[in-house]
Structure formats: C-alpha cells, structure tokens
Coordinates of all heavy atoms in Angstrom, one line a residue:
M1 N 10.5 6.2 12.4 CA 9.2 5.6 12.5 C 8.3 6.5 13.3 O 8.6 7.1 14.3 CB 9.3 4.2 13.2 CG 8.0 3.5 13.2 SD 7.9 2.3 11.9 CE 6.4 1.6 12.2
G2 N 7.1 6.8 12.7 CA 6.2 7.6 13.4 C 5.1 8.2 12.4 O 5.3 7.8 11.2
W3 N 4.2 9.0 12.9 CA 3.2 9.5 12.2 C 3.6 10.9 11.6 O 4.2 11.7 12.3 CB 1.9 9.6 12.9 CG 1.3 8.4 13.3 CD1 1.4 7.6 14.4 CD2 0.4 7.6 12.4 NE1 0.7 6.5 14.3 CE2 0.0 6.4 13.2 CE3 -0.2 7.8 11.2 CZ2 -0.9 5.5 12.7 CZ3 -1.1 6.9 10.7 CH2 -1.5 5.8 11.4
H4 N 3.3 11.1 10.3 CA 3.8 12.3 9.7 C 2.6 13.0 8.9 O 1.9 12.2 8.1 CB 4.9 12.1 8.6 CG 6.1 11.5 9.2 ND1 7.2 12.1 9.7 CD2 6.4 10.2 9.5 CE1 8.1 11.3 10.3 NE2 7.6 10.1 10.1
R5 N 2.4 14.2 9.1 CA 1.3 14.9 8.4 C 1.8 15.1 7.0 O 2.9 15.7 6.8 CB 1.0 16.2 9.0 CG -0.2 17.0 8.4 CD -0.3 18.4 8.8 NE -1.3 19.1 8.1 CZ -1.3 19.4 6.8 NH1 -0.1 19.3 6.1 NH2 -2.3 19.9 6.3
V6 N 1.0 14.6 6.0 CA 1.4 14.7 4.6 C 0.4 15.5 3.7 O 0.8 15.9 2.5 CB 1.5 13.3 4.0 CG1 2.6 12.6 4.7 CG2 0.2 12.5 4.0
A7 N -0.8 15.8 4.2 CA -1.6 16.4 3.2 C -2.9 16.9 4.1 O -3.1 16.6 5.3 CB -2.2 15.5 2.2
N8 N -3.7 17.8 3.4 CA -5.0 18.1 4.0 C -6.0 17.0 3.3 O -5.8 16.6 2.2 CB -5.5 19.5 3.5 CG -4.7 20.6 4.1 OD1 -4.2 20.5 5.2 ND2 -4.5 21.6 3.3
A9 N -7.0 16.7 4.1 CA -8.0 15.7 3.7 C -8.6 16.0 2.3 O -8.9 15.1 1.5 CB -9.1 15.5 4.8
G10 N -8.8 17.3 2.0 CA -9.3 17.7 0.7 C -8.4 17.7 -0.4 O -8.8 17.9 -1.6
D11 N -7.1 17.3 -0.1 CA -6.2 17.3 -1.2 C -6.3 16.1 -2.1 O -5.9 16.1 -3.3 CB -4.7 17.3 -0.7 CG -4.4 18.6 0.0 OD1 -5.0 19.6 -0.2 OD2 -3.4 18.6 0.7
V12 N -6.9 15.1 -1.6 CA -7.0 13.8 -2.4 C -8.5 13.5 -2.6 O -9.2 13.2 -1.7 CB -6.2 12.6 -1.9 CG1 -6.6 12.4 -0.4 CG2 -6.4 11.4 -2.7
A13 N -9.0 13.7 -3.8 CA -10.5 13.5 -4.2 C -10.8 12.0 -4.3 O -9.8 11.2 -4.4 CB -10.7 14.2 -5.5
E14 N -12.0 11.7 -4.1 CA -12.5 10.3 -4.4 C -12.0 9.8 -5.7 O -12.1 10.5 -6.8 CB -14.1 10.3 -4.3 CG -14.6 9.0 -4.6 CD -14.1 7.9 -3.7 OE1 -13.9 8.2 -2.5 OE2 -14.0 6.8 -4.1
G15 N -11.4 8.6 -5.7 CA -11.0 8.0 -6.9 C -9.7 8.6 -7.5 O -9.2 8.2 -8.6
A16 N -8.9 9.3 -6.6 CA -7.7 10.0 -7.1 C -6.5 9.5 -6.3 O -6.7 8.9 -5.2 CB -7.8 11.5 -7.0
V17 N -5.3 9.7 -7.0 CA -4.1 9.5 -6.2 C -3.1 10.7 -6.4 O -3.0 11.2 -7.5 CB -3.5 8.1 -6.8 CG1 -3.3 8.2 -8.3 CG2 -2.0 7.9 -6.2
I18 N -2.5 11.0 -5.3 CA -1.6 12.1 -5.4 C -0.2 11.6 -4.8 O -0.1 10.7 -4.0 CB -2.0 13.3 -4.5 CG1 -2.1 12.9 -3.1 CG2 -3.3 13.9 -5.2 CD1 -2.4 14.3 -2.2
E19 N 0.8 12.3 -5.1 CA 2.2 12.1 -4.6 C 2.4 13.0 -3.3 O 2.1 14.2 -3.3 CB 3.2 12.4 -5.6 CG 4.6 12.3 -5.0 CD 5.7 12.8 -6.0 OE1 5.3 13.7 -6.8 OE2 6.8 12.3 -5.9
V20 N 2.9 12.4 -2.3 CA 3.3 13.1 -1.0 C 4.7 12.7 -0.7 O 5.1 11.7 -1.1 CB 2.3 13.0 0.2 CG1 0.9 13.5 -0.2 CG2 2.2 11.5 0.6
E21 N 5.3 13.4 0.1 CA 6.7 13.2 0.5 C 6.9 13.1 2.1 O 6.3 14.0 2.8 CB 7.7 14.1 -0.1 CG 7.8 13.9 -1.5 CD 9.0 14.7 -2.1 OE1 9.7 15.4 -1.4 OE2 9.2 14.7 -3.3
V22 N 7.6 12.2 2.5 CA 7.9 12.2 4.0 C 9.5 12.1 4.0 O 10.0 11.0 3.6 CB 7.3 11.0 4.7 CG1 7.8 10.9 6.2 CG2 5.8 11.0 4.6
G23 N 10.1 13.2 4.3 CA 11.6 13.2 4.2 C 11.8 13.1 2.6 O 11.3 13.7 1.8
N24 N 12.7 12.1 2.3 CA 12.9 11.9 0.8 C 12.2 10.7 0.3 O 12.5 10.2 -0.7 CB 14.5 11.8 0.6 CG 15.1 10.7 1.4 OD1 14.4 9.9 2.1 ND2 16.3 10.6 1.4
Q25 N 11.2 10.3 1.1 CA 10.4 9.1 0.7 C 9.2 9.6 0.0 O 8.5 10.4 0.3 CB 10.0 8.4 2.0 CG 9.0 7.3 1.8 CD 9.6 6.0 1.4 OE1 10.6 5.6 1.8 NE2 9.0 5.4 0.4
Q26 N 9.0 9.1 -1.3 CA 7.8 9.3 -2.1 C 6.8 8.4 -1.9 O 6.9 7.1 -1.9 CB 8.2 9.4 -3.5 CG 9.2 10.5 -4.0 CD 9.3 10.6 -5.5 OE1 8.4 10.2 -6.2 NE2 10.5 10.6 -5.9
V27 N 5.6 8.9 -1.5 CA 4.5 8.1 -1.1 C 3.3 8.4 -2.0 O 3.1 9.6 -2.3 CB 4.1 8.2 0.4 CG1 2.9 7.4 0.8 CG2 5.2 7.8 1.3
A28 N 2.6 7.4 -2.4 CA 1.3 7.6 -3.2 C 0.1 7.5 -2.1 O 0.1 6.5 -1.4 CB 1.2 6.6 -4.3
L29 N -0.7 8.5 -2.2 CA -1.8 8.6 -1.3 C -3.1 8.5 -2.1 O -3.3 9.3 -3.1 CB -1.7 9.9 -0.5 CG -2.8 10.2 0.5 CD1 -2.9 9.2 1.6 CD2 -2.8 11.6 1.0
Y30 N -4.0 7.5 -1.8 CA -5.1 7.2 -2.6 C -6.4 7.4 -1.8 O -6.4 7.2 -0.6 CB -5.2 5.7 -3.1 CG -3.8 5.2 -3.6 CD1 -2.8 4.8 -2.7 CD2 -3.7 5.1 -5.0 CE1 -1.7 4.2 -3.2 CE2 -2.5 4.5 -5.5 CZ -1.5 4.1 -4.6 OH -0.3 3.6 -5.2
R31 N -7.5 7.7 -2.5 CA -8.8 7.7 -1.8 C -9.8 6.8 -2.7 O -10.0 7.2 -3.8 CB -9.4 9.1 -1.6 CG -10.7 9.0 -0.8 CD -11.4 10.4 -0.7 NE -10.7 11.4 -0.1 CZ -10.6 11.6 1.3 NH1 -11.2 10.7 2.1 NH2 -9.9 12.5 1.7
V32 N -10.3 5.7 -2.0 CA -11.2 4.9 -2.8 C -12.3 4.6 -1.9 O -12.1 4.1 -0.7 CB -10.5 3.6 -3.3 CG1 -11.4 2.6 -3.9 CG2 -9.3 3.8 -4.2
A33 N -13.5 4.8 -2.3 CA -14.7 4.5 -1.6 C -14.7 5.2 -0.2 O -15.0 4.7 0.9 CB -15.0 3.1 -1.4
G34 N -14.1 6.4 -0.2 CA -14.0 7.2 1.0 C -12.8 6.9 2.0 O -12.7 7.6 2.9
E35 N -12.1 5.9 1.6 CA -11.1 5.4 2.5 C -9.7 5.7 1.9 O -9.5 5.7 0.7 CB -11.1 3.9 2.6 CG -10.4 3.3 3.8 CD -10.6 1.9 4.1 OE1 -11.6 1.3 3.5 OE2 -9.9 1.3 4.8
L36 N -8.7 6.2 2.8 CA -7.4 6.6 2.3 C -6.4 5.4 2.4 O -6.5 4.6 3.3 CB -6.8 7.7 3.2 CG -7.6 9.1 3.0 CD1 -7.3 10.0 4.2 CD2 -7.3 9.7 1.6
F37 N -5.6 5.2 1.4 CA -4.5 4.2 1.3 C -3.2 4.8 1.0 O -3.2 5.9 0.3 CB -4.8 3.1 0.4 CG -6.2 2.5 0.6 CD1 -7.3 2.9 0.0 CD2 -6.2 1.3 1.4 CE1 -8.6 2.4 0.2 CE2 -7.5 0.7 1.6 CZ -8.6 1.2 1.1
A38 N -2.1 4.3 1.5 CA -0.7 4.8 1.1 C 0.2 3.6 0.8 O 0.2 2.6 1.4 CB -0.2 5.6 2.3
T39 N 0.9 3.9 -0.4 CA 1.9 2.9 -0.8 C 3.1 3.6 -1.2 O 3.1 4.9 -1.4 CB 1.5 2.0 -2.0 OG1 1.5 2.8 -3.1 CG2 0.1 1.4 -1.7
D40 N 4.3 2.9 -1.4 CA 5.4 3.5 -2.1 C 4.8 4.1 -3.4 O 4.0 3.6 -4.0 CB 6.4 2.4 -2.5 CG 7.3 2.0 -1.4 OD1 7.7 2.8 -0.6 OD2 7.6 0.7 -1.3
N41 N 5.4 5.2 -3.8 CA 5.1 5.8 -5.1 C 5.9 5.4 -6.2 O 5.5 5.5 -7.4 CB 5.1 7.3 -5.0 CG 4.4 8.0 -6.2 OD1 3.4 7.5 -6.6 ND2 4.9 9.1 -6.6
I42 N 7.0 4.7 -6.0 CA 7.9 4.3 -7.0 C 7.6 2.8 -7.3 O 7.6 2.0 -6.3 CB 9.4 4.5 -6.7 CG1 9.7 6.0 -6.3 CG2 10.3 4.0 -7.8 CD1 9.3 7.0 -7.5
C43 N 7.4 2.4 -8.4 CA 7.2 1.0 -8.8 C 8.3 0.1 -8.4 O 9.5 0.7 -8.5 CB 6.9 1.0 -10.4 SG 6.4 -0.7 -10.9
T44 N 8.0 -1.0 -8.1 CA 9.1 -2.0 -7.7 C 9.8 -2.6 -8.9 O 10.7 -3.3 -8.8 CB 8.5 -3.1 -6.8 OG1 7.5 -3.8 -7.6 CG2 8.0 -2.6 -5.6
H45 N 9.2 -2.4 -10.2 CA 9.8 -3.0 -11.3 C 10.9 -2.2 -11.9 O 12.0 -2.6 -12.2 CB 8.7 -3.2 -12.3 CG 9.2 -3.7 -13.6 ND1 9.0 -3.2 -14.9 CD2 9.8 -4.9 -13.9 CE1 9.5 -3.9 -15.8 NE2 10.0 -5.1 -15.3
A46 N 10.7 -0.8 -12.1 CA 11.7 0.0 -12.6 C 11.3 1.4 -12.0 O 10.5 1.5 -11.2 CB 11.8 0.1 -14.1
F47 N 12.0 2.5 -12.5 CA 11.6 3.8 -12.0 C 10.4 4.5 -12.7 O 10.5 5.0 -13.7 CB 12.8 4.7 -12.1 CG 12.6 6.0 -11.2 CD1 12.8 6.0 -9.9 CD2 12.1 7.1 -11.8 CE1 12.6 7.1 -9.1 CE2 11.9 8.2 -11.1 CZ 12.1 8.3 -9.7
A48 N 9.3 4.4 -12.1 CA 8.1 5.1 -12.6 C 7.3 5.5 -11.3 O 7.3 4.8 -10.3 CB 7.2 4.2 -13.5
C49 N 6.6 6.7 -11.5 CA 5.8 7.2 -10.4 C 4.3 6.7 -10.5 O 3.6 7.0 -11.5 CB 5.8 8.7 -10.4 SG 7.5 9.3 -10.0
L50 N 3.9 6.0 -9.5 CA 2.6 5.4 -9.6 C 1.4 6.5 -9.6 O 0.4 6.2 -10.1 CB 2.4 4.4 -8.5 CG 3.3 3.2 -8.6 CD1 3.2 2.3 -7.4 CD2 3.1 2.4 -9.9
H51 N 1.7 7.6 -9.0 CA 0.7 8.6 -9.0 C 0.3 9.1 -10.4 O -0.7 9.8 -10.6 CB 0.9 9.8 -8.0 CG 1.8 10.7 -8.6 ND1 3.2 10.5 -8.7 CD2 1.8 12.0 -9.0 CE1 3.9 11.6 -9.2 NE2 3.0 12.4 -9.4
E52 N 1.2 8.8 -11.4 CA 0.9 9.1 -12.7 C 0.3 8.0 -13.5 O 0.1 8.1 -14.7 CB 2.2 9.5 -13.5 CG 2.8 10.7 -12.9 CD 4.2 11.0 -13.4 OE1 4.8 10.2 -14.1 OE2 4.7 12.2 -13.1
G53 N 0.0 6.9 -12.7 CA -0.7 5.7 -13.4 C -2.2 5.8 -13.4 O -2.8 6.9 -13.1
Y54 N -2.8 4.7 -13.4 CA -4.3 4.6 -13.6 C -4.9 3.9 -12.5 O -4.5 2.6 -12.2 CB -4.6 3.8 -14.9 CG -6.0 3.7 -15.2 CD1 -6.9 4.9 -15.4 CD2 -6.6 2.5 -15.3 CE1 -8.2 4.7 -15.6 CE2 -8.0 2.3 -15.5 CZ -8.8 3.4 -15.6 OH -10.1 3.3 -15.9
L55 N -5.7 4.6 -11.6 CA -6.3 4.0 -10.5 C -7.7 3.5 -10.9 O -8.5 4.2 -11.4 CB -6.4 5.1 -9.3 CG -7.1 4.6 -8.0 CD1 -6.3 3.5 -7.3 CD2 -7.2 5.8 -7.1
E56 N -7.9 2.2 -10.6 CA -9.2 1.7 -10.9 C -9.6 0.8 -9.7 O -9.0 -0.3 -9.4 CB -9.2 0.8 -12.2 CG -10.6 0.2 -12.5 CD -10.6 -0.5 -13.8 OE1 -9.6 -0.9 -14.3 OE2 -11.7 -0.6 -14.4
G57 N -10.7 1.1 -9.0 CA -11.1 0.4 -7.8 C -9.8 0.5 -6.8 O -9.3 1.5 -6.6
H58 N -9.5 -0.8 -6.3 CA -8.3 -0.8 -5.4 C -7.0 -1.2 -6.0 O -6.1 -1.8 -5.4 CB -8.7 -1.8 -4.2 CG -9.7 -1.2 -3.3 ND1 -11.0 -1.6 -3.3 CD2 -9.5 -0.3 -2.2 CE1 -11.7 -0.9 -2.4 NE2 -10.8 -0.1 -1.7
T59 N -7.0 -1.0 -7.4 CA -5.7 -1.3 -8.1 C -5.1 -0.1 -8.7 O -5.8 0.8 -9.2 CB -5.9 -2.4 -9.2 OG1 -6.9 -1.9 -10.2 CG2 -6.5 -3.6 -8.5
I60 N -3.8 0.0 -8.7 CA -3.1 1.0 -9.5 C -2.2 0.3 -10.6 O -1.6 -0.6 -10.3 CB -2.2 1.8 -8.5 CG1 -1.5 3.1 -9.3 CG2 -1.1 1.0 -7.9 CD1 -2.5 4.1 -9.6
E61 N -2.3 1.0 -11.8 CA -1.7 0.5 -13.0 C -0.4 1.4 -13.1 O -0.6 2.6 -13.3 CB -2.5 0.4 -14.1 CG -1.8 -0.1 -15.4 CD -2.7 -0.2 -16.6 OE1 -3.7 -0.9 -16.6 OE2 -2.4 0.6 -17.6
C62 N 0.8 0.8 -13.2 CA 2.0 1.6 -13.4 C 2.0 2.2 -14.8 O 1.6 1.5 -15.8 CB 3.2 0.6 -13.3 SG 4.7 1.5 -13.6
P63 N 2.3 3.4 -14.9 CA 2.3 4.1 -16.3 C 3.3 3.7 -17.2 O 3.2 3.9 -18.4 CB 2.4 5.6 -16.0 CG 3.2 5.6 -14.7 CD 2.8 4.4 -14.0
L64 N 4.4 2.9 -16.7 CA 5.5 2.6 -17.7 C 5.3 1.3 -18.3 O 5.5 1.2 -19.5 CB 6.8 2.6 -16.8 CG 8.1 2.6 -17.7 CD1 8.1 3.7 -18.7 CD2 9.3 2.8 -16.7
H65 N 5.1 0.2 -17.6 CA 4.9 -1.1 -18.2 C 3.6 -1.8 -17.8 O 3.4 -3.0 -18.0 CB 6.0 -2.1 -17.9 CG 7.5 -1.5 -18.1 ND1 8.3 -1.2 -17.1 CD2 8.0 -1.1 -19.3 CE1 9.4 -0.7 -17.6 NE2 9.3 -0.6 -19.0
Q66 N 2.7 -1.0 -17.3 CA 1.3 -1.4 -16.9 C 1.2 -2.6 -15.9 O 0.4 -3.3 -15.8 CB 0.6 -1.9 -18.2 CG 0.2 -0.7 -19.2 CD 1.4 -0.1 -19.8 OE1 2.2 -0.8 -20.5 NE2 1.6 1.2 -19.7
G67 N 2.3 -2.7 -15.0 CA 2.1 -3.5 -14.0 C 1.0 -3.0 -13.0 O 0.8 -1.9 -12.9
I68 N 0.3 -4.1 -12.4 CA -0.8 -3.6 -11.6 C -0.6 -4.2 -10.1 O -0.1 -5.3 -9.9 CB -2.1 -4.2 -12.2 CG1 -2.4 -3.6 -13.5 CG2 -3.3 -4.1 -11.2 CD1 -3.5 -4.2 -14.3
F69 N -0.8 -3.3 -9.2 CA -0.8 -3.6 -7.7 C -2.1 -3.4 -7.0 O -2.9 -2.4 -7.4 CB 0.2 -2.7 -7.0 CG 1.7 -2.8 -7.6 CD1 2.1 -1.9 -8.6 CD2 2.6 -3.6 -7.0 CE1 3.4 -2.0 -9.0 CE2 3.9 -3.7 -7.5 CZ 4.3 -2.9 -8.5
D70 N -2.3 -4.1 -6.0 CA -3.4 -3.8 -5.1 C -2.9 -2.8 -4.1 O -2.0 -3.0 -3.3 CB -3.9 -5.1 -4.3 CG -5.1 -5.1 -3.5 OD1 -5.2 -4.0 -2.8 OD2 -5.9 -5.9 -3.6
I71 N -3.6 -1.7 -4.0 CA -3.2 -0.6 -3.1 C -3.4 -0.9 -1.6 O -2.9 -0.2 -0.8 CB -3.8 0.8 -3.5 CG1 -5.3 0.8 -3.3 CG2 -3.5 1.1 -4.9 CD1 -6.0 2.1 -3.3
R72 N -4.3 -1.9 -1.3 CA -4.5 -2.3 0.1 C -3.4 -3.1 0.7 O -3.0 -2.9 1.8 CB -5.9 -3.0 0.2 CG -7.0 -2.3 -0.3 CD -8.2 -3.0 -0.4 NE -8.1 -4.0 -1.6 CZ -9.1 -4.6 -2.2 NH1 -10.3 -4.5 -1.7 NH2 -8.9 -5.4 -3.2
S73 N -2.9 -4.0 -0.2 CA -1.9 -4.9 0.3 C -0.5 -4.7 -0.3 O 0.5 -5.1 0.2 CB -2.2 -6.4 0.1 OG -2.3 -6.5 -1.4
G74 N -0.5 -3.9 -1.4 CA 0.8 -3.7 -2.1 C 1.1 -4.9 -3.0 O 2.2 -4.8 -3.7
E75 N 0.3 -5.9 -3.0 CA 0.7 -7.1 -3.8 C 0.6 -6.9 -5.4 O -0.3 -6.2 -5.8 CB -0.3 -8.3 -3.4 CG -0.1 -8.9 -2.0 CD 1.3 -9.5 -1.9 OE1 1.8 -10.2 -2.8 OE2 2.0 -9.1 -0.9
P76 N 1.6 -7.4 -6.0 CA 1.6 -7.3 -7.5 C 0.5 -8.4 -8.0 O 0.3 -9.3 -7.6 CB 3.1 -7.8 -7.8 CG 3.4 -8.7 -6.7 CD 2.8 -8.2 -5.5
L77 N -0.3 -7.8 -9.0 CA -1.4 -8.7 -9.5 C -1.2 -9.1 -11.0 O -1.5 -10.2 -11.3 CB -2.8 -7.9 -9.3 CG -3.2 -7.4 -8.0 CD1 -4.4 -6.6 -8.0 CD2 -3.3 -8.6 -7.1
E78 N -0.6 -8.1 -11.7 CA -0.5 -8.5 -13.2 C 0.7 -7.7 -13.7 O 1.1 -6.8 -13.2 CB -1.7 -8.0 -14.0 CG -3.0 -8.8 -13.9 CD -4.1 -8.3 -14.7 OE1 -3.9 -7.8 -15.8 OE2 -5.2 -8.3 -14.2
G79 N 1.1 -8.2 -14.9 CA 2.3 -7.5 -15.6 C 3.6 -8.0 -15.2 O 3.7 -9.0 -14.5
P80 N 4.6 -7.2 -15.5 CA 6.0 -7.6 -15.2 C 6.4 -7.4 -13.7 O 7.6 -7.6 -13.4 CB 6.8 -6.7 -16.1 CG 6.0 -5.4 -16.1 CD 4.5 -5.9 -16.0
V81 N 5.5 -7.0 -12.8 CA 5.8 -6.7 -11.5 C 5.8 -8.0 -10.6 O 4.8 -8.8 -10.7 CB 5.0 -5.7 -10.8 CG1 5.2 -4.3 -11.5 CG2 3.5 -6.0 -11.0
D82 N 6.7 -8.4 -9.8 CA 6.7 -9.5 -8.9 C 7.0 -9.2 -7.5 O 7.0 -10.0 -6.6 CB 7.4 -10.6 -9.4 CG 8.9 -10.3 -9.7 OD1 9.4 -9.2 -9.3 OD2 9.6 -11.1 -10.5
E83 N 7.5 -7.9 -7.2 CA 7.8 -7.5 -5.9 C 6.7 -6.6 -5.4 O 6.3 -5.6 -6.1 CB 9.1 -6.7 -5.8 CG 10.3 -7.6 -6.0 CD 11.5 -7.0 -5.2 OE1 11.3 -6.2 -4.3 OE2 12.5 -7.4 -5.6
P84 N 6.1 -6.8 -4.1 CA 5.1 -6.0 -3.7 C 5.6 -4.5 -3.3 O 6.7 -4.3 -3.1 CB 4.7 -6.7 -2.3 CG 5.8 -7.5 -2.0 CD 6.5 -7.8 -3.2
L85 N 4.7 -3.6 -3.3 CA 4.9 -2.3 -2.8 C 4.8 -2.3 -1.3 O 4.0 -3.0 -0.8 CB 3.8 -1.3 -3.3 CG 3.8 -1.1 -4.8 CD1 2.4 -0.3 -5.0 CD2 5.0 -0.3 -5.3
R86 N 5.5 -1.4 -0.6 CA 5.2 -1.2 0.8 C 4.0 -0.5 0.9 O 3.7 0.5 0.1 CB 6.5 -0.5 1.5 CG 7.6 -1.3 1.6 CD 8.7 -0.5 2.3 NE 9.0 0.8 1.6 CZ 9.8 1.8 2.0 NH1 10.2 1.7 3.2 NH2 10.0 2.8 1.3
T87 N 3.2 -0.8 2.0 CA 2.0 0.0 2.4 C 2.2 0.6 3.7 O 3.0 0.2 4.5 CB 0.8 -0.9 2.4 OG1 0.9 -1.9 3.3 CG2 0.6 -1.5 1.0
F88 N 1.5 1.7 3.9 CA 1.7 2.4 5.1 C 0.3 2.8 5.8 O -0.6 3.1 5.0 CB 2.4 3.8 4.9 CG 3.7 3.6 4.1 CD1 3.7 3.9 2.8 CD2 4.9 3.2 4.7 CE1 4.9 3.7 2.0 CE2 6.0 3.0 4.0 CZ 6.1 3.3 2.7
P89 N 0.2 2.7 7.1 CA -1.1 3.0 7.7 C -1.3 4.6 7.5 O -0.4 5.4 7.5 CB -0.7 2.7 9.2 CG 0.4 1.8 9.3 CD 1.2 2.1 8.1
V90 N -2.6 4.9 7.4 CA -3.1 6.3 7.1 C -4.2 6.5 8.1 O -5.0 5.7 8.4 CB -3.6 6.4 5.8 CG1 -4.0 7.9 5.5 CG2 -2.7 5.9 4.7
K91 N -4.2 7.7 8.6 CA -5.2 8.2 9.5 C -5.5 9.6 9.3 O -4.6 10.3 8.7 CB -5.0 7.9 11.0 CG -3.8 8.8 11.6 CD -3.7 8.5 13.1 CE -2.6 9.2 13.8 NZ -2.4 8.9 15.2
T92 N -6.8 10.2 9.7 CA -7.0 11.5 9.6 C -7.2 12.1 11.0 O -7.8 11.4 11.9 CB -8.2 11.9 8.7 OG1 -9.3 11.2 9.2 CG2 -8.0 11.6 7.2
E93 N -6.8 13.3 11.2 CA -7.0 14.0 12.5 C -7.6 15.4 12.1 O -6.8 16.2 11.6 CB -5.7 14.1 13.4 CG -5.3 12.8 14.0 CD -4.1 12.9 14.8 OE1 -3.5 14.1 15.0 OE2 -3.8 11.9 15.4
G94 N -8.9 15.5 12.2 CA -9.4 16.8 11.7 C -9.2 16.9 10.2 O -9.6 15.9 9.5
D95 N -8.6 17.9 9.7 CA -8.4 18.0 8.3 C -7.0 17.5 7.9 O -6.6 17.6 6.8 CB -8.5 19.5 7.9 CG -8.5 19.7 6.5 OD1 -9.3 18.9 5.7 OD2 -7.9 20.6 5.9
D96 N -6.2 16.9 8.8 CA -4.9 16.6 8.6 C -4.9 15.0 8.2 O -5.6 14.2 8.8 CB -4.0 16.7 9.8 CG -3.8 18.1 10.1 OD1 -3.9 19.0 9.2 OD2 -3.5 18.4 11.3
V97 N -4.1 14.7 7.1 CA -3.9 13.3 6.8 C -2.5 12.9 7.3 O -1.5 13.7 7.0 CB -4.0 13.0 5.3 CG1 -3.7 11.6 5.0 CG2 -5.3 13.4 4.7
L98 N -2.4 11.8 8.1 CA -1.1 11.4 8.6 C -0.7 10.0 8.1 O -1.7 9.2 8.0 CB -1.1 11.4 10.2 CG -1.3 12.8 10.8 CD1 -2.9 13.0 11.1 CD2 -0.5 13.0 12.0
I99 N 0.5 9.7 7.8 CA 1.0 8.5 7.4 C 2.0 8.0 8.4 O 2.8 8.8 8.8 CB 1.6 8.6 6.0 CG1 0.5 8.8 4.9 CG2 2.3 7.2 5.6 CD1 1.0 9.1 3.5
E100 N 1.9 6.7 8.8 CA 3.0 6.1 9.6 C 4.1 5.5 8.8 O 3.8 4.5 8.1 CB 2.4 5.1 10.6 CG 3.4 4.7 11.7 CD 2.7 3.7 12.7 OE1 1.9 2.9 12.2 OE2 3.1 3.7 13.9
I101 N 5.2 6.0 8.9 CA 6.4 5.5 8.2 C 7.5 5.4 9.3 O 7.9 6.2 10.0 CB 6.9 6.4 7.1 CG1 5.8 6.3 6.0 CG2 8.2 6.0 6.6 CD1 6.3 7.2 4.7
Ligands
LIG201 FE1 6.2 -0.3 -13.3 FE2 7.7 -1.5 -15.1 S1 8.2 0.4 -14.0 S2 5.7 -2.0 -14.5

C-alpha cells in the first residue's frame, strides 16, 4: 500500500484512457474533464483490457461484451457485468501522476 508514480501528466490526454502498471497490477488511468481517475484495467466479467474499450464521459465500455462501468465508483452500470471494478486514488505532483495502491 502506498503511492506509486505511474505516468507523466501529459501521457493521458483529455477524454483518453491508458494502461499503466504498478508491480504486476494493471491499472486503467483516465482523464475526463481535466480530472484523473484510476480503476482496475481488467474487466470483472472475463479477461479484457478496459483501456482498449470506449470511454464516454465518466463511463468505460468493455471491448469484449460491452459491459459498462462508472470510472468514478467502479460500479457496473449495464451489460453482463455485476461486480464493481476497484478504484484507486490519483494525484499529481508536478508532472508526475501517482496512484495509491
Ligand atoms: Fe468485460 Fe465481458 S469481459 S463485459
């Protein structure tokens, strides 16, 4: 448990999602309306990488079966998903993006 530097602030553009890693943990890092969010990158339904999905507002659609999660809470919203994603606190320090895991 602790804060880990995962990216430069410029690595994630507005309205985009990228994959970052903390140890062997895959995390999806999003920027929406200027704010950064982090969730598990692996869908809770089956094995699919959410950073390859479709980000619309504060929702991410899984590329495999189109399950939809709220990236702020991790809650499943639609589709075959019923388990929430874990979410992680994010902060910036200068140009560094840090995630608490
Ligand atoms: Fe994500 Fe099925 S793997 S909805």
